[in-house]
Structures are given as structure tokens and as C-alpha cells.
Amino acid sequence: AAGKKISTTLKNLESFIDSEFNLDYTQGVQFTNQWLKTKINTFFERPDENKEEVPDDNLFSVYLNNYIEYRKLKGETKITTERKFNQLKTKFSAFEQKKKTKYLISDINGHFILTFRKFIIEDLKNMESTANEIIRKLKTVLLNARNEDNKPIHNSVNSLKVKSTSAVKVFLSLQELEQIKKCNIIGTDLQHAKDWLIIGCNTGQRVSDLLRMNKGMIYTKTDSEGESFNLIGLVQEKTGNTVAIPINDEVQNILDKYDGNFPPTFGQKGDSKFVLFNRYIKTVCRNAGITNIVKGRVWNDKTERNEITETEKSKLISSHVCRRSFATNYYGDNRFTTAELMSITGHKTESVFLNYIGKTAEEHALKSAATFRKIAQEKKDKLTQIAN
């Protein structure tokens, strides 16, 4: 009777282990001796003194969470970068919930990435540019897993290249900025938004840096010829770059309105003031007559995503128009070198700067060609003078 009982128990244990194996296999669990000991203890309802409490970091979701925390510990992360990795974490978790599967690092191959990208665009209703950025961050984590922790990753990840989605470059021309300056705006918040918009288009900073500018950032510097200039000094939130921004007459005129201070901002929380600024400057531009029809990304309620269409320019205005307008307008002024402008915007390379303002290699070549033609004409004029 005892032998029969033992035989029955072993068969039940075998059935239990087989069932647990199949269940955990679909969840991407790593099978080890400890796994088997834990299951046996569970079957016999014994306390598992050696139970492994540390989550298996061969699972991508576990490794990603550890990676994010480790970056914080090393002090490598910035707010915007941290936000992007957290977006990856949220979207990957949503994908696993839909598939009802936990994925190992080694499971992520080219087919998986295409499926995940499609999920971000179609299920989560994100823009293509957002999906591409998430995939770039996914690749970053996978390469770190291989290079730093010797984790096996699929060969297709090495050759993965995610192209940047070409954006519609919306900016305010110098003529449009004059329209805005001359426009009579009613309402305190809108007046402040108008002033911040003009400051932004003359300082070239991201909204996260623009709306935290204050009087304490202003300092005076004297050049080698003894002339003194007022500058704004700040450390860019996104990149950590230290930039010095000249205060031109447009900005100084606004500071004078507020007794040397910058205009008040909107709302108490950081996110709310950015949202309000975006909303107000659309109204400011519409009131200023910036209503010509142009192409841009507009939210479509039916498809629930941003789509490129033709619409009034004021509807496309957002806080980023400040930075792009500065770069575009002053790049077109031959009195400034590209290097001088890059030192203000914080761009690291000329190619990135030119791509940012939408200048192609061909357009750059045309500018050089015009200069060559001017040089050739100067040579001809000089030869004519000598002949006479």
C-alpha cells in the first residue's frame, strides 16, 4: 500500500512538473535546478528556503527595468532620456499583455521588432516618428545587454537601422514675426505668450529651457575690443550643454517692459505651462494673420492619429517653432556663421543642424555655387579694371 501511494504521488508530481513547465515556457521563464527545487517544494507544500527572489534578467522587461535603474545610479540619465526609456517600458509591457507572453532578450529579432513597431503605431495610435524612436531605444538596451552583460541577442539586431521620419519643418519668418509684434493682443496670458514667442524666436532654445529663463541668468561680458554685451547663460535640460545666448534688441525690448525681468509664465506645474503656452501661441498667430495654408501634421479624430494635411499655419504652431525659427532665420543671414548659431542652439554637428532646419545637401551646394559665381564675377571685374 505504501509503495502504491508513493507511485501515485510520483505520477502526480510528474504531471504537476509537466504542467508547470508548459505554463512557464510560454512566459519565457529560464529553467534551472533552482526552478525544479522550487516546484517540488510547491507540490509538497514545503517552505522553499532557497527560493530565488531575484527576477530573471534574461527576460527583456526585467533587464530593461534594471537598465533604467542602473542609469539613474550612475547619474547618466537626463529627464528627457529617462522619459523615453520609460515610454519603451510602458509600451513593451502593453505589448506583452496583448500577446500574453513574457519575452526573453534572445527572442527579440527582426520579425519581433516589426510586429512591435506595428503595435505602437496601430494599437497605441502613436506617430511613426514616435515608434521609430522607441525602436531605437530598444536597440540601445539590447546592445547594452550584449556588450555589458554578455547576454545573447539575435544577429538581426546588429544590422537594424531605423530611419528618421522626415518632419514637416514649420517656422515663423522674420516678416511673420513682425506681424506678430505689431498685432494688438487682448488678454494678459496671450500678451505674455506673445512676448515669450518673440523671445523664443530670438534665443533658439527648447521650451523646457525657454520658460525657465529668469533675470538671474543674465550676465555681462566684455569682448577684446572693450565692448560690453548682455548674455543669458544656462545649462540645457535635455543635453546638459552650457550655452551663452546674446540678448538682441528684440529680447531687450521685452525685458524692458518687465523692468529687466522675463514675462510671467502660465500655471504652476511644468507640464501645464508648456500646454498653455502651446495653446496661447496658436491664438496669437491666428490673431496676427498667420493663416496661410501650408502642409503639416494635424490630429485626425477618425483615424486617431496625426496625419500630414494642408491647414492654416497658425494651427501648426507649437512651442518648438521658437527654436526652429531662430535657426532658420539667422542661418539665412550671411553675417552669422553656422558655428556661431550652433553654439547658441547647442547642436553638436553642422549636418545635424542643417537637417534640423531642413536644409538639404543640394540647397547647401546652391549657396556655395552662388558664392563661387560671386568670386568669379569679382575676378572678371578686377581683370577689366587692369585692362582699362
Side-chain angles (χ1 to χ4, degrees):
K4 186 176 181 181
K5 184 177 180 182
I6 291 172
S7 178
T8 301
T9 300
L10 289 175
K11 285 182 179 179
N12 289 339
L13 175 61
E14 180 183 8
S15 177
F16 174 76
I17 295 295
D18 188 53
S19 175
E20 289 294 297
F21 175 86
N22 290 330
L23 179 63
D24 285 355
Y25 180 80
T26 62
Q27 300 296 313
V29 171
Q30 195 80 358
F31 297 105
T32 62
N33 289 337
Q34 185 58 50
W35 176 87
L36 183 59
K37 290 178 184 177
T38 299
K39 295 302 178 182
I40 293 172
N41 286 332
T42 300
F43 177 80
F44 287 110
E45 297 182 349
R46 297 193 300 237
D48 187 6
E49 295 178 359
N50 298 316
K51 185 176 180 180
E52 206 171 350
E53 297 293 338
V54 179
D56 182 7
D57 73 348
N58 287 301
L59 291 169
F60 181 80
S61 56
V62 174
Y63 187 86
L64 173 59
N65 190 64
N66 292 344
Y67 176 77
I68 291 171
E69 294 304 315
Y70 187 57
R71 281 175 60 88
K72 290 180 186 177
L73 183 64
K74 291 175 68 178
E76 289 184 351
T77 188
K78 301 180 180 66
I79 293 174
T80 50
T81 308
E82 182 182 345
R83 187 180 297 135
K84 287 174 183 175
F85 281 114
N86 281 323
Q87 285 175 350
L88 167 61
K89 180 180 175 181
T90 301
K91 296 180 196 305
F92 196 89
S93 175
F95 183 72
E96 286 190 322
Q97 287 176 22
K98 180 185 177 181
K99 297 293 185 180
K100 297 180 180 178
T101 303
K102 290 286 185 182
Y103 292 96
L104 293 166
I105 292 171
S106 57
D107 290 332
I108 302 176
N109 56 20
H111 176 71
F112 175 95
I113 290 170
L114 288 174
T115 306
F116 181 43
R117 182 180 181 276
K118 184 178 179 182
F119 168 79
I120 296 171
I121 295 171
E122 296 186 359
D123 291 52
L124 301 183
K125 308 296 183 185
N126 288 163
M127 292 171 60
E128 187 179 347
S129 57
T130 300
N132 288 350
E133 182 60 35
I134 293 298
I135 297 303
R136 275 191 284 271
K137 289 292 176 281
L138 173 70
K139 181 178 179 181
T140 297
V141 178
L142 290 172
L143 293 180
N144 188 85
R146 182 194 66 188
N147 299 337
E148 300 297 329
D149 296 299
N150 296 316
K151 301 286 186 186
I153 67 172
H154 201 274
N155 289 334
S156 59
V157 174
N158 293 320
S159 57
L160 175 67
K161 292 183 179 179
V162 184
K163 292 183 179 179
S164 298
T165 307
S166 57
V168 179
K169 315 287 188 182
V170 178
F171 73 98
L172 293 167
S173 67
L174 293 174
Q175 183 180 347
E176 288 170 329
L177 288 171
E178 282 298 316
Q179 286 179 234
I180 292 169
K181 279 169 53 183
K182 293 175 181 177
C183 178
N184 185 30
I185 300 294
I186 299 174
T188 303
D189 283 336
L190 289 178
Q191 288 174 6
H192 293 159
K194 171 185 170 181
D195 289 338
W196 274 116
L197 178 59
I198 294 169
I199 291 173
C201 290
N202 283 279
T203 54
Q205 302 306 303
R206 300 175 185 87
V207 67
S208 55
D209 296 317
L210 174 65
L211 294 185
R212 63 186 180 87
M213 287 182 181
N214 59 72
K215 190 176 182 178
M217 294 180 178
I218 299 174
Y219 67 99
T220 303
K221 193 75 175 177
T222 303
D223 68 8
S224 58
E225 297 179 3
E227 285 198 66
S228 296
F229 299 92
N230 289 332
L231 307 173
I232 302 167
L234 60 81
V235 178
Q236 293 179 327
E237 189 175 88
K238 179 180 179 179
T239 63
N241 294 337
T242 299
V243 293
I245 309 152
I247 297 178
N248 67 7
D249 60 320
E250 301 287 356
V251 176
Q252 189 60 55
N253 289 339
I254 294 172
L255 295 179
D256 291 342
K257 282 174 56 177
Y258 299 95
D259 297 323
N261 292 300
F262 287 86
T265 52
F266 328 93
Q268 298 301 313
K269 296 180 180 179
D271 287 343
S272 65
K273 70 182 177 185
F274 301 148
V275 171
L276 290 171
F277 181 55
N278 275 325
R279 185 185 305 164
Y280 292 150
I281 60 177
K282 283 179 172 63
T283 303
V284 168
C285 288
R286 186 175 66 248
N287 291 351
I290 314 297
T291 54
N292 52 308
I293 304 300
V294 296
K295 281 188 176 182
R297 291 188 182 274
V298 178
W299 179 259
N300 186 322
D301 289 327
K302 291 183 180 179
T303 61
E304 295 184 331
R305 65 180 60 184
N306 283 298
E307 296 179 348
I308 295 178
T309 186
E310 291 189 340
T311 189
E312 289 185 1
K313 189 170 183 177
S314 62
K315 294 181 180 179
L316 301 174
I317 298 299
S318 66
S319 58
H320 203 76
V321 77
C322 297
R323 181 168 167 80
R324 181 163 281 124
S325 297
F326 172 86
T328 306
N329 288 329
Y330 291 109
Y331 174 76
D333 190 325
N334 292 329
R335 291 169 292 185
F336 295 99
T337 66
T338 304
E340 287 171 345
L341 298 178
M342 286 169 53
S343 71
I344 296 172
T345 61
H347 286 99
K348 289 295 186 184
T349 66
E350 185 171 349
S351 61
V352 171
F353 178 84
L354 294 176
N355 180 64
Y356 175 74
I357 62 177
K359 295 294 180 184
T360 63
E362 189 176 71
E363 288 174 304
H364 207 37
L366 285 172
K367 188 176 180 183
S368 299
T371 303
F372 280 128
R373 182 173 292 176
K374 186 178 178 181
I375 291 170
Q377 187 60 49
E378 288 173 353
K379 287 179 181 177
K380 286 181 181 179
D381 293 342
K382 190 173 182 180
L383 289 172
T384 302
Q385 288 176 358
I386 293 172
N388 294 333

